[in-house]
Amino acid sequence: MPLQTLDITVADSSLEDLKKGSLEIVKHLKKNWNPNDIKVKVFTEGATNQLIGCFMTPNPDDMVLIRVYGRKTDLFVDRKAEVRNMELMNAAGLGTPVYSSFNNGLAYKYIPGVIVNKTMVCKPEIYRILSELPSKQELETEVTYLENHLVQLGSQIVFCHNDLLGNNIVYNEEKEKVTFIDFEYSDNNFQAFDIGNHFCEFAGLEPYQPELYPCKEFQKEWIKVYLEEWHYLKGCHCHITEVPPEDVNSLYVQVNKFALAAHLLWGMWSLVQASHSALDFDYLGYAKCRIGEYYKKKEKFLAL
């Protein structure tokens, strides 16, 4: 979602002006808050900007922080870049959500905790910040490990779409016909990857719902129908009586293992997009989801 922008300037000539302007901002952001019950806290730790916290008495941790920029600080601070960086860090789990910008400041979510002092900053449990994403080296290790496992499965090499999410499949109900679109990633690839990737796409994009990944029963029925058509097209255009259960199970195993490759692929693709794309999409958040799903399913799927 685009960041909300309020055409409000918070006067900073006095503390009362700061409080009044901050309350005006909060009225737009928290419409369900009773203005008469909003409490104000003044923070004084900043060296450049002025910071006001607004909250309701029952829940002081649900606080909106109003940061009013120091005068003329825009001469040496790129405020657009600041907002972009805050949103990027929040998506990575290392920052706080930004609610809104206004003419001379920002409104964002308060994070409960304490400011790190000179003693705390040296503690290992603090400086060893845990990332929600693996390092580049860790990803490279996973890719190599998974590749070595997958190439031994004997999956057929076929022409693949490689991006079979729902938006790339068109169904004409009147003609009872399915058509595929957007072939920018299409090429020869492992058959099991295209199917596994398609099953992964059942989870959608926004919101991403991994619980929608199809169950074993659905997958096996889908694969059975696929193999019937596969043998028909490969052979003499005559349908076989019954697809052997062992063929269905073999492809089922391959598909789920290659689904892991789909998670890694689109997770790393999203990391690249997060740095370069101009589209309004949470690529970093999506990368965390897909790579996280890889690690969740890795042991189970590789053991099939």
Side-chain angles (χ1 to χ4, degrees), residues 17 30 34 64 69 80 106 128 140 150 213:
D17 285 339
K30 298 287 187 177
N34 185 337
V64 177
Y69 300 145
K80 290 183 179 180
L106 285 176
R128 290 175 181 167
E140 290 175 343
L150 296 180
Y213 186 77

Side-chain angles (χ1 to χ4, degrees), residues 283-294:
Y283 287 106
L284 197 56
Y286 186 66
K288 286 164 51 180
C289 290
R290 294 303 298 264
I291 294 174
E293 199 64 17
Y294 165 80

Side-chain angles (χ1 to χ4, degrees), residues 204-224:
L205 283 173
E206 211 172 14
Y208 178 68
Q209 299 174 281
E211 66 274 12
L212 296 181
Y213 186 77
C215 65
K216 182 177 181 179
E217 291 73 20
F218 176 92
Q219 288 191 45
K220 285 199 168 185
E221 178 60 28
W222 193 103
I223 289 170
K224 179 176 177 293

Side-chain angles (χ1 to χ4, degrees), residues 26-38:
V26 171
K27 281 197 301 184
H28 287 80
L29 301 178
K30 298 287 187 177
K31 299 183 185 298
N32 59 325
W33 285 10
N34 185 337
N36 297 322
D37 295 333
I38 298 175

Side-chain angles (χ1 to χ4, degrees), residues 31-273:
K31 299 183 185 298
N32 59 325
W33 285 10
N34 185 337
N36 297 322
D37 295 333
I38 298 175
K39 304 299 181 183
V40 176
K41 179 178 179 179
V42 180
F43 295 86
T44 58
E45 288 84 358
T48 303
N49 309 300
Q50 303 196 65
L51 191 62
I52 302 290
C54 298
F55 60 95
M56 296 288 283
T57 304
N59 189 9
D61 284 346
D62 184 19
M63 181 186 295
V64 177
L65 295 177
I66 309 296
R67 177 148 61 88
V68 180
Y69 300 145
R71 297 183 184 183
K72 300 297 183 182
T73 54
D74 57 314
L75 294 177
F76 54 89
V77 176
D78 185 337
R79 295 301 183 187
K80 290 183 179 180
E82 178 190 22
V83 172
R84 183 175 66 248
N85 293 337
M86 289 179 71
E87 291 179 324
L88 188 67
M89 294 300 284
N90 175 53
L94 299 171
T96 181
V98 181
Y99 292 136
S100 172
S101 66
F102 51 95
N103 294 338
N104 60 331
L106 285 176
Y108 52 95
K109 183 176 177 62
Y110 168 77
I111 301 296
V114 296
I115 300 298
V116 175
N117 59 32
K118 297 175 184 177
T119 302
M120 295 168 63
V121 77
C122 298
K123 292 184 177 181
E125 62 268 29
I126 292 178
Y127 69 70
R128 290 175 181 167
I129 298 172
L130 297 178
S131 172
E132 294 188 49
L133 285 169
S135 66
K136 178 183 177 182
Q137 182 178 0
E138 290 171 323
L139 284 174
E140 290 175 343
T141 299
E142 290 297 331
V143 169
T144 300
Y145 173 80
L146 187 61
E147 181 181 13
N148 290 337
H149 183 92
L150 296 180
V151 295
Q152 300 178 51
L153 299 179
S155 178
Q156 297 275 350
I157 302 295
V158 299
F159 179 78
C160 294
H161 186 285
N162 291 321
D163 191 21
L164 277 179
L165 68 162
N167 288 349
N168 288 338
I169 305 171
V170 178
Y171 174 61
N172 186 308
E173 185 175 7
E174 182 180 346
K175 297 181 178 180
E176 295 186 338
K177 181 179 180 181
V178 170
T179 304
F180 302 104
I181 60 174
D182 290 353
F183 295 90
E184 59 183 335
Y185 296 109
S186 300
D187 205 340
N188 290 338
N189 200 354
F190 294 103
Q191 179 188 52
F193 172 85
D194 216 21
I195 301 172
N197 180 65
H198 175 57
F199 288 165
C200 287
E201 296 296 350
F202 281 32
L205 283 173
E206 211 172 14
Y208 178 68
Q209 299 174 281
E211 66 274 12
L212 296 181
Y213 186 77
C215 65
K216 182 177 181 179
E217 291 73 20
F218 176 92
Q219 288 191 45
K220 285 199 168 185
E221 178 60 28
W222 193 103
I223 289 170
K224 179 176 177 293
V225 173
Y226 173 90
L227 286 176
E228 289 173 352
E229 191 66 18
W230 164 253
H231 288 304
Y232 174 78
L233 295 173
K234 272 183 65 180
C236 307
H237 287 266
C238 56
H239 288 288
I240 61 175
T241 306
E242 187 70 28
V243 176
E246 56 270 24
D247 288 2
V248 173
N249 190 66
S250 176
L251 186 52
Y252 166 78
V253 170
Q254 292 178 5
V255 162
N256 283 274
K257 292 186 176 187
F258 271 93
L260 295 173
H263 285 310
L264 277 184
L265 170 67
W266 294 115
M268 291 186 289
W269 172 88
S270 294
L271 289 176
V272 174
Q273 293 295 319

Side-chain angles (χ1 to χ4, degrees), residues 252 257 260 295-304:
Y252 166 78
K257 292 186 176 187
L260 295 173
Y295 282 106
K296 288 179 186 176
K297 298 293 177 61
K298 174 184 173 182
E299 183 177 357
K300 176 183 176 181
F301 284 179
L302 291 184
L304 290 172

